[in-house]
Amino acid sequence: MTEKKAIVYVDMDHVLCDYATGFARHKAEYPNLAFPQSVPGLYESLDPMPDAIESYMWLHEHSKLDVYVLTAPSIKNPHCYAEKRIWVENHLGMAVVQNLIISPHKHLSKGDYLIDDMPSGKGQDRFDGKLILYGSEEFPNWVSVTKYFKSQIEC
Ligand SMILES: [Mg+2]
């Protein structure tokens, strides 16, 4: 009998992608715009957060886990949908593009864990599984998140 895999969702902005640094860079380029993120190029250009790529791929390749990227779009910026898809291909590869979910309603995705920097706003507070609040005291970075998963699934 095969063991059921735990389903894990991973957010993009401020979790996989360094949105803060990318936004500051974009704002400096377009200082007179109220919403510089509306200029194409921001989402695609974001740097990965420290240890994000290695940690994601470790989760992705783990035999006990089924891992998806779950990101809410900036609905006023249609190009962000394409750029998020391009970012995932560039940094995580086509196998992860297969598992990319772009949804403003995260609670509709059923699973065991959601790694997200926001406790609410896109359905995080109604998610059925455990919310791993990235950036919190308990989970300040990817090292702490990976350590937690190791303790949960490798015992
Ligand atoms: Mg986020």
Side-chain angles (χ1 to χ4, degrees):
M1 199 169 98
T2 52
E3 198 184 344
K4 192 175 166 287
K5 293 184 179 190
I7 296 176
V8 182
Y9 297 105
V10 185
D11 177 36
M12 287 183 77
D13 296 330
H14 306 286
V15 176
L16 287 171
C17 315
D18 185 354
Y19 186 89
T21 301
F23 182 83
R25 210 159 46 207
H26 218 60
K27 179 79 184 160
E29 214 173 314
Y30 305 100
N32 298 322
L33 290 183
F35 301 101
Q37 66 272 41
S38 64
V39 180
L42 171 66
Y43 290 93
E44 191 180 333
S45 72
L46 299 177
D47 297 323
M49 292 289 276
D51 303 312
I53 303 305
E54 301 79 356
S55 302
Y56 186 95
M57 293 314 293
W58 180 81
L59 293 168
H60 177 81
E61 287 163 6
H62 201 290
S63 61
K64 291 184 180 175
L65 300 175
D66 200 6
V67 185
Y68 299 83
V69 175
L70 177 55
T71 181
S74 173
I75 59 162
K76 291 182 179 170
N77 299 332
H79 55 266
C80 88
Y81 293 75
E83 291 191 33
K84 282 172 177 285
R85 148 71 177 77
I86 292 167
W87 193 96
V88 170
E89 180 183 2
N90 287 347
H91 294 277
L92 297 166
M94 282 308 290
V96 179
V97 170
Q98 288 280 357
N99 287 10
L100 169 62
I101 302 166
I102 301 178
S103 164
H105 306 288
K106 296 191 177 187
H107 63 290
L108 295 178
S109 290
K110 300 302 172 196
D112 301 285
Y113 301 95
L114 170 61
I115 305 169
D116 204 298
D117 65 302
M118 294 296 288
S120 62
K122 304 291 179 188
Q124 294 95 330
D125 53 336
R126 289 185 283 158
F127 178 68
D128 281 345
K130 178 180 170 64
L131 176 65
I132 309 270
L133 192 59
Y134 189 91
S136 63
E137 204 173 311
E138 191 179 2
F139 300 108
N141 51 35
W142 271 107
V143 174
S144 57
V145 172
T146 306
K147 195 172 160 195
Y148 172 77
F149 276 95
K150 283 184 178 163
S151 73
Q152 292 294 299
I153 60 180
E154 293 192 338
C155 48

